[in-house]
Amino acid sequence: NFCVIFITFEGFLSRAGEANFPLAKMAAQEVQPSETIAKLKSESEALKTKLEEERAKLHDVELHQVAEKVDPLGQFVMKTRRTLKGHGNKVLCMDWCKDKRRIVSSSQDGKVIVWDAFTTNKEHAVTMPCTWVMACAYAPSGCAVACGGLDNKCSVYPLSLDKNENLAAKKKSVAMHTNYLSACSFTNSDMQILTSSGDGTCALWDVESGQLLQSFHGHAADVLCLDLAPSETGNTFVSGGCDKKANVWDMRSGQCIQSFETHESDINSVRYYPSGDAFASGSDDATCRLYDLRADREVAIYSKESIIFGASSVDFSLSGRLLFGGYNDYTINVWDVLKGTRVSILFGHENRVSTLRVSPDGTAFCSGSWDHTLRVRE
Amino acid sequence: MERVIVSMQDPDMGMKMRNQRLLITVIPHAMTGRDIVDWLIQKYTITEEEALHIGNFLVKYGYIYPLKEPRNLCLKQDETPYRFQTPYYWTSTRWPASELDYAIYLAKKNIRKQGELIEYEKECYNALHKRINHTWDFVVMQAREQLRASKQRRKADRIVLECQEQAYWLINRPPPGVMDILEQGPDRRNVSDVMLYMWCLPLKNKLCMFVWVCSFVKYCEQYQDHDPIMQGCLPSNPWITDDIMYWNMNSETVTMPTKLRVERWSFSFMELLNDPLGRKELLTYLEKEFSAENLCFWQACEEVRHGEASKIAAKVDEVYKQFLAPGASRWVNIDSKTMEKTLEGIKHPHRFVLDDAQMHIYFLMKKDSYPRYLKSELYKNLLAKAIVPQETKKSVFPFMRRQRHSSPSPALVTQTAEDNGKAKPSAAKANAGTASQI
C-alpha cells in the first residue's frame, strides 16, 4: 500500500494567493484561516495515528522481544581513567584521532585544543576568532583539525609541530554557512568535509579549494548533528535537527533518501550502529532511539521515567551492544542496545555532558562537559 | 520536571506533606529532604545516588525551594523542610524576569531590611537605580504597595510568599559565582510554519522484519569478544593499566598480528579492507592469483572519490592509462556495458565517474576472491601463527603507576617525510588505509 499525504499550513496559504487555490480562497472568504488550518492539522494527526496503527499491526517484531534469549549483561564498572583539564570554559565538542589516543576538543571561549589523552599532555592549542566553537573534527591522517561555530564557518588547521609556528597562520577557511556551524566531519580523507548548520542545511566541501561540492536541503529548522555511514559504498550520511527529524542523505545526488520523525523534540546527536544498518539518536525529549534503515522505522526506544533531561550526545561501543548517552543532567547513561534496558548510570561531571565519543578501537570513551573538563572512561 | 512535580503532588501516590515549624511559625504543606529522596527512590526504582541527583535538580530549577537557608538551592537528605514552588514562578513559564520586576523585588527587600541588603544585591540595586532612574518613583511605589498588601496576610503565608519570590530571583538572577542554571547555549530556531508531509513506503512483510531485527543480535554476538569495553582486551586495556602493549601489538606495521585481528577479517570483506595489514595480505594473495590489479584499481578509485577536486582529472587519466585502456598493463576485467559507460564518462571526468566500475570490481572481489582467500593456506597459516597475548595484570601496588609513554604525533610522521624531501608515504598510506569509517 502506498500512501502520500501532503498538507501545508500558514506559510503555504499566505504564499499561494487566493485565486489559484480554492482552499486558500475558502480560507480567505468564508472561514477564518486559523480554523481551517486547525481542522487540517487535527485531520492529519488522526490520519497519522491511523497509519501508524496499521503499520504497527504488521510490525510487531520488536528488538527487545528477539533479544529476550540473549544473555543479560553483568554489572559494569567504568571508572574515569583520565581527566583533561585546560579549557577555561564549557567544552562543546570533541573527536578522536585515528591513532586511538589523541583527541581534539573545542569550547565556548573559542579555544581548540589537541591532547594526547593517554598522557594528558596538550600538544596544540588554537584560539578561534569566535566564541561557541560547537564543532570540531580530527582529520583521518591525524595531520589537521577542523572546527567552527558562531562564525558560521568551518576552518581547517594543519597541525604543525614547530613550537614557534602560529597554527592560526595556516588556517584554511573551508565552509561558509548563513548560520552557526553545529557539526563537522571529514569524510574518508583529509580532502573533504561534511558540515551541518543552524541555517537548516548540510553541505559537502572540497578542503583544498573551499568549493561547495554538494548541499543538502530538507530540514525545516536548524540541523544539529550528522554522522557518516560505515557502509561498503560509503555514500550516505544521517543528520538530525530541531525539526525532530533524522534524515538520511545520498552524498552524490544531494537527495534525502529516508526520513524518520518519531522524536518529540530537537535531535541533538545521531550515530550509526557499527554495521551501518541502523543509527541511534539522542534528543531533548530525554530519549534515545534506534532506527533500522532497511525496515525504515524505529525499532527501539531507550528511556526511563527518571531520566527527565535531554540526551546531548550518543555513541556505540565497538560491538554495538552498548549505547552511551551523555545527558543534560550531567550524567552518562549506558544502555543495552538489544534489550532496551539501562545498564549503568555514570556520575562525575559537574555540568551538562555536551559531547561523547567512543575511541576508534573501542577501548574507552571520552565525554566533554560544560564543567570545562573531558573525561576518558573505561 | 513538571511531570515529576505533578506526580509528587498526586493526592494518592504523591508525597506525604506535613506542617513544618520554622522558628515560631508553622508552615503547612511542607516536606523533608529525606522524604523527597525516599519518594523518588520508590517511584522510579532508582538508587539513592540517582534520587538525590534528580531531587537536586528540582531544587536548582526552582520547582522546590528550601524553607531554611533559602539562599542555598540544594537538596539535603535530612529533616530540612522544603515546599513546592507555585506554578506562577515555574521556570517553564519563562516570564521575562525584567529589570523592573527585579528592581521592585530588591526595593521591597531594602525597605523590609531597612537598607541591610547582601553585598551583591546592594550592587544590583544601585546599578538598577542608575539604569532605570526615570521609573524609580514607580518602583518604590509598587514596592510599598506590595509590602502593605502582604502585611495583611497571616505570618505563615507571608513567609511562604517571600520564600517563593526569593527562590524565583535566585534562579533568574544568580549571585556571582553561582552557575546560571537557565543557560541554554546559542538560540535555536523554533519550528513554525511547518510543511508536513508523510509517506509510507510499501509495507514490508513480517519475515523481513524478523530477519533484520535478528541481525542486530547476530552482529553484537559476533563482535562481543572484540569489544574491549564489554570483554576487556589482551594483554590489557591501555587506559586501565597504562601499558600501551595493546596498541603496539595492533599497529599497522606489526609483523605478526593477533589472532582476534585475523579472525575479524573473516567477518566481512569490509573488515579485511579496512585493516591496512589485511589489505596487504589480500594483495599478496591476489598476486598469486594474478588478479592483484583489482585491488589496485579499487584503491585508485577511492583516491579519485576522496581526493582533491583539482586532481580529479589527472587521477582519472592515470587510472584510465593503467587499468582501463585497451592493452593497459593492469587491465581490469569489467563487463562490457560498464566499461562502455565508464569510458564515455571519462571524457568529462568528475568525482564519481569511476563509481560503477569500482562497484563492479568491489563486488567481484567480495563474491569471488574474498571467500577463496579465507579458505587459502595463506590465511589459515596466518591465523594459526597469530598471537594470543598474555594478560598483563594491573600493577599490584596501585601507587606505582607505570610511566605513560608518549607516542609520535601522526603530524610528525608526515612532517619528517616532507622535511626529508621524500614523497609522503605515510600520509598516502594513512589516507588509503583509512578509506572507510570503521
Side-chain angles (χ1 to χ4, degrees):
Chain A
N1 304 322
F2 274 87
C3 180
V4 174
I5 301 172
F6 199 100
I7 302 173
T8 60
F9 294 116
E10 285 103 329
F12 184 85
L13 281 174
S14 61
R15 287 196 298 275
E18 293 169 34
N20 298 329
F21 289 87
L23 196 62
K25 201 171 179 186
M26 178 180 94
Q29 286 176 351
E30 297 171 18
V31 183
Q32 285 300 317
S34 52
E35 282 177 27
T36 316
I37 289 157
K39 194 156 155 259
L40 279 169
K41 260 186 184 158
S42 69
E43 264 181 47
S44 85
E45 283 303 317
L47 272 164
K48 194 175 175 185
T49 315
K50 191 131 188 279
L51 274 163
E52 283 302 321
E53 278 171 19
E54 290 301 313
R55 273 172 106 181
K57 277 184 197 159
L58 289 172
H59 298 120
D60 59 357
V61 181
E62 297 292 330
L63 178 55
H64 65 87
Q65 289 171 313
V66 168
E68 259 161 39
K69 54 182 168 72
V70 176
D71 285 338
L73 296 170
Q75 277 287 54
F76 273 90
V77 174
M78 277 180 272
K79 294 196 190 147
T80 301
R81 306 290 174 181
R82 303 287 190 275
T83 306
L84 303 178
K85 295 187 184 161
H87 277 291
N89 214 314
K90 308 178 174 65
V91 176
L92 303 176
C93 188
M94 59 85 38
D95 190 19
W96 287 90
C97 175
K98 286 229 155 52
D99 76 349
K100 305 148 193 173
R101 49 189 285 172
R102 283 176 170 76
I103 66 169
V104 61
S105 60
S106 64
S107 71
Q108 182 192 355
D109 60 3
K111 277 245 165 33
V112 176
I113 301 179
V114 174
W115 319 67
D116 177 353
F118 186 71
T119 57
T120 71
N121 292 338
K122 301 183 202 34
E123 293 190 341
H124 305 269
V126 173
T127 308
M128 295 272 287
C130 70
T131 58
W132 290 92
V133 186
M134 293 176 266
C136 65
Y138 224 118
S141 68
C143 300
V145 293
C147 48
L150 285 186
D151 59 349
N152 301 357
K153 298 196 214 145
C154 184
S155 310
V156 175
Y157 292 87
L159 295 177
S160 159
L161 284 149
D162 183 349
K163 294 286 176 212
N164 296 324
E165 190 165 12
N166 181 11
L167 281 188
K170 288 222 173 118
K171 162 179 158 179
K172 210 185 282 184
S173 227
V174 175
M176 297 265 283
H177 280 279
T178 54
N179 210 321
Y180 64 85
L181 191 82
S182 54
C184 65
S185 173
F186 285 88
T187 60
N188 294 336
S189 79
D190 286 16
M191 305 305 156
Q192 287 165 9
I193 288 192
L194 191 59
T195 58
S196 67
S197 164
D199 66 13
T201 69
C202 299
L204 183 66
W205 310 83
D206 176 66
V207 172
E208 191 191 35
S209 62
Q211 187 194 353
L212 172 69
L213 299 173
Q214 184 64 261
S215 69
F216 306 89
H217 297 260
H219 277 288
D222 309 22
V223 187
L224 299 177
C225 52
L226 58 85
D227 192 31
L228 282 149
S231 78
E232 290 180 297
T233 47
N235 271 332
T236 61
F237 73 95
V238 63
S239 66
C242 288
D243 56 359
K244 313 173 200 172
K245 292 217 286 245
N247 291 338
V248 181
W249 308 86
D250 179 320
M251 277 167 71
R252 285 183 49 168
S253 64
Q255 292 299 313
C256 174
I257 52 183
Q258 273 175 292
S259 189
F260 303 87
E261 191 177 356
T262 61
H263 270 295
E264 294 165 21
S265 187
D266 302 1
I267 297 178
N268 296 312
S269 175
V270 285
R271 193 73 63 210
Y272 273 92
Y273 183 80
S275 72
D277 294 326
F279 68 91
S281 58
S283 161
D284 274 350
D285 68 6
T287 70
C288 299
R289 295 171 200 240
L290 187 69
Y291 297 93
D292 186 317
L293 293 165
R294 299 153 301 184
D296 191 38
R297 56 166 286 209
E298 175 191 299
V299 290
I301 174 168
Y302 307 101
S303 67
K304 206 166 165 4
E305 260 197 308
S306 59
I307 299 176
I308 52 183
F309 282 80
S312 64
S313 192
V314 296
D315 203 357
F316 288 96
S317 72
L318 188 139
S319 65
R321 183 69 192 268
L322 300 174
L323 179 69
F324 298 98
Y327 287 74
N328 290 339
D329 66 357
Y330 320 172
T331 66
I332 294 168
N333 288 295
V334 186
W335 301 92
D336 180 332
V337 170
L338 301 179
K339 290 190 183 286
T341 53
R342 185 179 68 181
V343 167
S344 188
I345 176 170
L346 305 172
F347 298 95
H349 278 298
E350 292 164 16
N351 205 326
R352 287 194 195 192
V353 177
S354 51
T355 178
L356 187 154
R357 296 295 294 262
V358 172
S359 75
D361 63 354
T363 48
F365 69 92
C366 179
S367 57
S369 162
W370 280 19
D371 70 3
H372 309 188
T373 71
L374 295 124
R375 286 170 183 247
V376 179
R377 273 182 250 231
E378 195 294 324
Chain B
M1 275 187 282
E2 277 159 30
R3 180 172 44 82
V4 176
I5 292 292
V6 167
S7 294
M8 286 174 100
Q9 293 176 320
D10 183 83
D12 299 318
M13 303 298 291
M15 298 225 31
K16 296 283 171 282
M17 312 280 220
R18 25 180 142 166
N19 293 338
Q20 272 293 334
R21 187 166 287 279
L22 202 64
L23 294 177
I24 51 169
T25 323
V26 174
I27 314 283
H29 307 303
M31 49 211 168
T32 67
R34 187 187 307 268
D35 284 345
I36 294 171
V37 175
D38 286 345
W39 186 88
L40 287 168
I41 291 174
Q42 208 256 332
K43 165 85 177 168
Y44 296 117
T45 329
I46 51 180
T47 62
E48 193 174 302
E49 188 179 15
E50 198 176 349
L52 194 56
H53 189 83
I54 296 174
N56 246 305
F57 278 110
L58 295 176
V59 178
K60 281 203 160 46
Y61 276 85
Y63 288 94
I64 293 177
Y65 61 89
L67 286 169
K68 290 189 187 148
E69 280 184 72
R71 310 205 77 84
N72 190 7
L73 290 180
C74 74
L75 183 69
K76 294 207 188 109
Q77 198 185 347
D78 53 21
E79 301 303 312
T80 313
Y82 294 86
R83 269 184 119 251
F84 290 113
Q85 176 66 288
T86 174
Y88 179 82
Y89 282 132
W90 279 1
T91 314
S92 55
T93 53
R94 291 178 202 259
W95 290 126
S98 68
E99 288 200 316
L100 194 62
D101 295 324
Y102 193 42
I104 295 170
Y105 165 70
L106 286 176
K108 278 197 292 188
K109 234 181 179 184
N110 199 29
I111 295 170
R112 257 191 9 248
K113 300 210 172 189
Q114 293 157 338
E116 288 305 308
L117 287 176
I118 298 174
E119 193 56 47
Y120 88 93
E121 279 181 338
K122 216 179 256 180
E123 280 172 27
C124 287
Y125 184 71
N126 292 333
L128 280 167
H129 186 98
K130 239 190 242 165
R131 228 182 2 259
I132 55 171
N133 198 294
H134 49 286
T135 59
W136 205 252
D137 289 340
F138 174 72
V139 167
V140 174
M141 184 194 74
Q142 263 294 311
R144 288 212 178 101
E145 259 310 301
Q146 289 183 18
L147 278 174
R148 198 186 58 76
S150 76
K151 278 206 175 73
Q152 314 273 358
R153 297 182 185 277
R154 281 181 22 235
K155 184 152 188 218
D157 290 342
R158 198 163 65 237
I159 291 179
V160 158
L161 286 169
E162 276 166 21
C163 283
Q164 284 173 347
E165 201 182 14
Q166 176 159 246
Y168 175 79
W169 285 111
L170 278 169
I171 288 161
N172 282 279
R173 293 281 191 278
V178 172
M179 189 169 78
D180 181 5
I181 202 87
L182 297 178
E183 187 173 12
Q184 293 291 320
D187 282 335
R188 297 177 181 176
R189 268 189 290 157
N190 280 320
V191 179
S192 60
D193 222 357
V194 179
M195 285 249 290
L196 172 73
Y197 55 96
M198 316 182 284
W199 66 82
C200 290
L201 296 176
L203 299 174
K204 310 259 188 342
N205 64 51
K206 224 169 174 171
L207 183 62
C208 283
M209 195 61 212
F210 185 72
V211 167
W212 291 324
V213 163
C214 282
S215 73
F216 294 118
V217 176
K218 276 214 196 78
Y219 189 94
C220 288
E221 273 173 6
Q222 187 178 42
Y223 280 85
Q224 187 163 311
D225 288 340
H226 298 253
D227 188 336
I229 292 180
M230 299 244 325
Q231 301 280 119
C233 55
L234 297 174
S236 68
N237 189 317
W239 298 102
I240 300 178
T241 60
D242 293 345
D243 174 27
I244 59 171
M245 270 262 270
Y246 179 73
W247 286 332
N248 290 341
M249 292 180 106
N250 286 295
S251 75
E252 283 185 23
T253 52
V254 77
T255 23
M256 184 53 63
T258 64
K259 215 182 201 80
L260 275 179
R261 184 175 179 179
V262 179
E263 247 175 47
R264 212 166 142 175
W265 299 344
S266 69
F267 290 176
S268 72
F269 189 40
M270 274 273 278
E271 287 285 359
L272 181 62
L273 281 185
N274 281 344
D275 188 343
L277 198 65
R279 210 185 283 193
K280 211 169 100 191
E281 288 292 305
L282 180 64
L283 188 65
T284 312
Y285 175 73
L286 291 177
E287 270 161 7
K288 291 209 174 96
E289 300 234 311
F290 304 106
S291 56
E293 67 277 357
N294 287 340
L295 185 57
C296 299
F297 174 69
W298 179 84
Q299 227 157 275
C301 291
E302 283 286 284
E303 281 176 32
V304 170
R305 250 186 350 137
H306 299 293
E308 297 101 314
S310 57
K311 299 201 177 136
I312 289 177
K315 283 186 182 168
V316 170
D317 193 47
E318 257 312 300
V319 167
Y320 171 73
K321 287 202 185 89
Q322 273 199 40
F323 299 101
L324 297 171
S329 57
R330 308 169 95 183
W331 191 79
V332 284
N333 194 356
I334 307 175
D335 68 282
S336 51
K337 193 161 153 223
T338 312
M339 180 65 94
E340 220 180 281
K341 189 172 168 204
T342 308
L343 290 177
E344 191 56 43
I346 284 181
K347 293 182 185 159
H348 307 282
H350 60 88
R351 188 175 295 275
F352 306 113
V353 74
L354 297 169
D355 269 16
D356 287 345
Q358 185 186 14
M359 280 262 262
H360 181 93
I361 294 295
Y362 177 85
F363 282 110
L364 187 68
M365 287 194 289
K366 179 178 172 180
K367 293 263 149 60
D368 184 39
S369 316
Y370 174 61
R372 283 190 289 110
Y373 167 68
L374 291 181
K375 295 198 189 98
S376 70
E377 287 306 312
L378 188 67
Y379 178 73
K380 289 201 184 130
N381 284 341
L382 189 61
L383 189 60
K385 280 194 251 163
I387 304 172
V388 178
Q390 290 280 9
E391 187 184 0
T392 317
K393 294 246 185 262
K394 195 168 180 193
S395 182
V396 176
F397 303 99
F399 51 85
M400 275 177 67
R401 208 184 65 184
R402 284 198 184 83
Q403 202 194 2
R404 293 171 181 172
H405 294 281
S406 54
S407 71
S409 166
L412 175 63
V413 181
T414 320
Q415 190 142 7
T416 321
E418 268 182 57
D419 292 345
N420 294 344
K422 293 191 190 122
K424 297 189 238 179
S426 327
K429 219 192 267 175
N431 279 341
T434 56
S436 69
Q437 279 305 109
I438 297 179

